[in-house]
Amino acid sequence: MSANAASSKDHKVKEPQPGQPMYGCEHVGRLFNQDQATINMSIQHYKTILRAIFDINPILSHTAKGVDGQVVTSITPTYLCLQCPSTLTDDDLTKHGNKKSHRFYVESRSGAVYCQMCDDIVWDPTFEDLRLKKLGTGSFFGSRKRKHEELFAPDPVKDAPQYISTNTTLATCKANGLRGIYNAGATCYQNVVLQSFLHNPILRNFYLSDGHQSGSCDTPHCLSCAMDDMFQEFYASETTNGYTAANILSGFWISENKAFENLVANKEQDAHEFFQFMAEELHERNGDGKRPEIGSEHTCNCIIHQTYYGKLQTSTTCQNCGGVTNQAQSFLDLSVPLENLTQKRGKKNLTNGDGVASTRTQNSVTLQECLDEEYIKSDKCEYRCQNCNSVQQARRQTSIKKLPNVLSIQLKRFEFKQGRNDRAQKIETPVQFPLQLNMLPYTTRARTQDLKDNYELQRSCTYDLLCVVVHVGDMDTGHYISYCRVGDQWFAFNDHKVELAQKSDVLNAKAYLLFYIVRSLS
């Protein structure tokens, strides 16, 4: 049955205006030139999809089931199939189309029709008329203009506080910097670090308040200018599509920082090294320009030092005379070894450079146990005592003299064995880490004061988890992903893909880098 001979209950293809095409594309034309049942089904299903997008909780239209059966909720658009009830991610469109021969989809954010054969959004008069009616009046029935009195007359139901609170949602994700970063060729190790910067409220406030004057900066390929541009893009732009960090890449590749020149290669690199590189570069651009010396108590008031830097104190006690020597030094992050602790617990679960897992037990440890090994327990050493004027046996203990605002912890999962056959291995031991971390037991003040009733001191040492960087796979061909907290909600960042995550997903991850923010700032 043709559209012209259709009954009153049949849907009709919209007659085009002069100068407009009859259909959005030739493929939509073929769809609408089939039998009336196909036309009815297509238009009715499109209406149902528009209702799901604009009338129901929008999170539903952004929730899709992947080909592996896993349900994910993405902030980037999903695609609702016009020919079946499936909701698909961008990656699954082609697979679904080839398997089902379904070629038309509705973009979950705007309600526009996407033609897979054209590989583009198509403007079709029939579909667009329905979409505009839904957006304009909330109804598909005509385009009657509502009277002024109807629009603005008080409504006792909708004006009720309970109705308002029930139907009010949080600001859209666009305002929260939720956006993925495209992989430019083995750059996932950079992307996870950049995401940790972007969701760090201290850095965010610095760059969004013109902390770095990029307009007046004359440093060529300045990485701080590139960071400023990125923060503006993430927090001022209304798009949630992936971001290409071209300025970061160019500044990184031509950097004169020779200490990290091994990172400039088109292959998988270490996220921890890139974090150190970026911190040093941003310090030089925003601070005193001096590179922090290893082992020194470097003092600077730049944004990087205010955010990440703390101070360690190493106390060496002579076993002969009891004399104590204290030495302080600045730290950017705490590197916590896993090898010794896992050896104490049993054999480690290792993967070698070829990704071959050994048949060894996988005993989990806790982050607190790892910190205890480094910052509570002491070890034996020999040192030249000034009082004894000779080399003596001593006990050395390291504690944290000053905690940073954002505490970064590296779990040393990669170990390098030097010898006849140099080789690297990855320690796969699970490390249980908390959402809230009490760092007071590891401070220097905890050694010298009664802290039971000192609430303010305990609060200043309490941290909330902010970001987790995870390395999956083997040493050479692995991949980095990260989890970042925005408010009370966690999100998973996998290059340009951003999906909702549960706390259980975060806590079960095999963390490589952990970022905690002091509670008074979180």
Side-chain angles (χ1 to χ4, degrees):
M1 182 184 294
S2 66
N4 294 331
S7 69
S8 59
K9 293 184 178 180
D10 288 333
H11 294 291
K12 295 182 179 181
V13 176
K14 180 178 174 62
E15 293 292 333
Q17 299 295 321
Q20 291 182 350
M22 182 75 178
Y23 307 109
C25 67
E26 59 178 307
H27 311 107
V28 175
R30 292 175 195 166
L31 178 70
F32 281 152
N33 278 291
Q34 297 185 46
D35 57 85
Q36 185 63 44
T38 302
I39 296 174
N40 288 343
M41 182 187 71
S42 300
I43 293 179
Q44 189 57 45
H45 195 190
Y46 184 59
K47 288 182 177 181
T48 302
I49 290 174
L50 291 179
R51 291 190 187 99
I53 293 174
F54 297 119
D55 292 349
I56 308 174
N57 188 339
I59 199 172
L60 297 178
S61 60
H62 282 258
T63 302
K65 181 180 288 188
V67 292
D68 57 357
Q70 184 177 2
V71 177
V72 296
T73 301
S74 171
I75 68 162
T76 49
T78 54
Y79 294 86
L80 291 79
C81 183
L82 192 62
Q83 295 156 280
C84 76
S86 299
T87 300
L88 305 151
T89 63
D90 189 38
D91 293 337
D92 294 332
L93 273 181
T94 303
K95 297 175 183 176
H96 180 80
N98 293 339
K99 183 179 180 180
K100 300 287 188 178
S101 296
H102 294 172
R103 305 302 181 187
F104 302 102
Y105 304 88
V106 182
E107 199 248 34
S108 62
R109 192 161 47 190
S110 65
V113 175
Y114 169 81
C115 174
Q116 188 181 34
M117 290 173 284
C118 295
D119 192 22
D120 202 357
I121 298 292
V122 296
W123 187 92
D124 179 80
T126 303
F127 288 136
E128 187 67 8
D129 182 61
L130 294 170
R131 191 179 78 90
L132 293 178
K133 284 179 179 177
K134 188 64 182 170
L135 283 172
T137 65
S139 171
F140 299 115
F141 302 104
S143 57
R144 178 178 65 90
K145 294 183 178 179
R146 300 174 66 184
K147 294 180 180 180
H148 182 275
E149 291 78 7
E150 278 187 71
L151 289 170
F152 297 101
D155 187 326
V157 175
K158 293 187 177 180
D159 290 344
Q162 185 176 0
Y163 180 89
I164 293 173
S165 61
T166 303
N167 291 276
T168 300
T169 59
L170 295 174
T172 61
C173 56
K174 303 177 235 185
N176 293 331
L178 284 173
R179 193 173 174 185
I181 304 174
Y182 287 114
N183 192 319
T187 58
C188 59
Y189 71 98
Q190 298 181 20
N191 293 347
V192 292
V193 172
L194 294 177
Q195 290 289 1
S196 75
F197 287 160
L198 287 162
H199 297 286
N200 182 322
I202 304 176
L203 294 183
R204 178 194 64 207
N205 294 343
F206 173 79
Y207 279 104
L208 293 183
S209 60
D210 293 328
H212 179 80
Q213 299 289 336
S214 57
S216 58
C217 179
D218 56 3
T219 302
H221 305 287
C222 173
L223 277 169
S224 192
C225 289
M227 285 298 302
D228 186 57
D229 292 341
M230 179 177 281
F231 271 97
Q232 300 300 327
E233 282 287 334
F234 273 67
Y235 287 94
S237 175
E238 293 189 355
T239 182
T240 55
N241 293 333
Y243 176 79
T244 302
N247 291 340
I248 296 285
L249 285 171
S250 62
F252 168 61
W253 277 71
I254 65 174
S255 169
E256 296 179 356
N257 194 334
K258 298 302 180 183
F260 297 92
E261 61 184 359
N262 62 300
L263 288 174
V264 184
N266 190 26
K267 62 179 182 178
E268 183 65 66
Q269 299 292 342
D270 186 2
H272 179 241
E273 286 189 26
F274 183 71
F275 167 70
Q276 293 179 316
F277 164 82
M278 285 296 296
E280 188 171 308
E281 284 287 317
L282 296 178
H283 154 70
E284 289 190 36
R285 297 290 170 259
N286 297 287
D288 56 18
K290 298 178 181 178
R291 293 184 178 179
E293 297 179 5
I294 297 175
S296 68
E297 194 174 2
H298 186 89
T299 301
C300 176
N301 199 37
C302 75
I303 185 60
I304 295 300
H305 274 75
Q306 290 184 48
T307 305
Y308 293 107
Y309 272 84
K311 293 181 181 179
L312 295 174
Q313 177 170 293
T314 301
S315 301
T316 306
T317 304
C318 177
Q319 298 295 88
N320 183 48
C321 70
V324 179
T325 302
N326 295 319
Q327 182 180 10
Q329 66 180 68
S330 299
F331 71 89
L332 172 65
D333 51 52
L334 302 179
S335 291
V336 181
L338 298 180
E339 184 177 11
N340 292 338
L341 192 57
T342 51
Q343 282 180 341
K344 292 178 181 179
R345 290 295 180 85
K347 295 182 178 180
K348 296 174 292 181
N349 185 33
L350 297 173
T351 58
N352 58 28
D354 297 325
V356 179
S358 58
T359 55
R360 302 179 185 179
T361 57
Q362 194 172 12
N363 297 310
S364 66
V365 298
T366 67
L367 176 61
Q368 289 89 336
E369 290 171 334
C370 297
L371 293 171
D372 289 350
E373 289 287 317
E374 294 295 307
Y375 304 109
I376 289 184
K377 298 179 180 179
S378 61
D379 56 0
K380 294 179 181 180
C381 67
E382 288 186 354
Y383 95 119
R384 185 170 187 82
C385 177
Q386 297 296 324
N387 295 333
C388 301
N389 197 27
S390 61
V391 176
Q392 296 290 338
Q393 293 293 318
R395 303 289 302 185
R396 180 183 293 128
Q397 185 182 49
T398 301
S399 59
I400 301 174
K401 182 179 180 181
K402 178 185 176 184
L403 284 163
N405 286 320
V406 175
L407 177 67
S408 53
I409 301 174
Q410 179 207 20
L411 302 175
K412 299 180 73 172
R413 292 196 173 276
F414 306 113
E415 59 178 22
F416 300 89
K417 299 289 187 181
Q418 291 185 341
R420 189 171 182 180
N421 296 312
D422 291 350
R423 59 193 179 94
Q425 288 183 313
K426 178 183 174 185
I427 301 175
E428 296 282 7
T429 302
V431 178
Q432 299 174 24
F433 52 91
L435 292 173
Q436 292 84 35
L437 178 63
N438 178 20
M439 289 297 295
L440 183 58
Y442 312 108
T443 62
T444 305
R445 297 178 72 174
R447 311 282 194 272
T448 58
Q449 296 183 20
D450 183 6
L451 307 173
K452 291 181 180 180
D453 299 321
N454 198 330
Y455 171 77
E456 285 300 320
L457 179 59
Q458 293 185 33
R459 186 172 182 272
S460 68
C461 298
T462 302
Y463 285 77
D464 293 310
L465 187 63
L466 185 65
C467 180
V468 180
V469 172
V470 181
H471 182 271
V472 293
D474 59 82
M475 291 278 296
D476 297 325
T477 59
H479 181 62
Y480 284 99
I481 62 172
S482 64
Y483 296 93
C484 294
R485 178 170 55 84
V486 179
D488 294 328
Q489 179 62 60
W490 284 93
F491 292 86
F493 294 84
N494 184 356
D495 290 332
H496 66 281
K497 299 179 186 176
V498 184
E499 298 170 353
L500 283 169
Q502 303 300 319
K503 289 181 181 178
S504 57
D505 299 327
V506 179
L507 295 176
N508 289 328
K510 288 186 180 179
Y512 175 49
L513 301 177
L514 296 166
F515 295 90
Y516 284 89
I517 185 168
V518 67
R519 175 159 294 180
S520 58
L521 294 176
S522 63

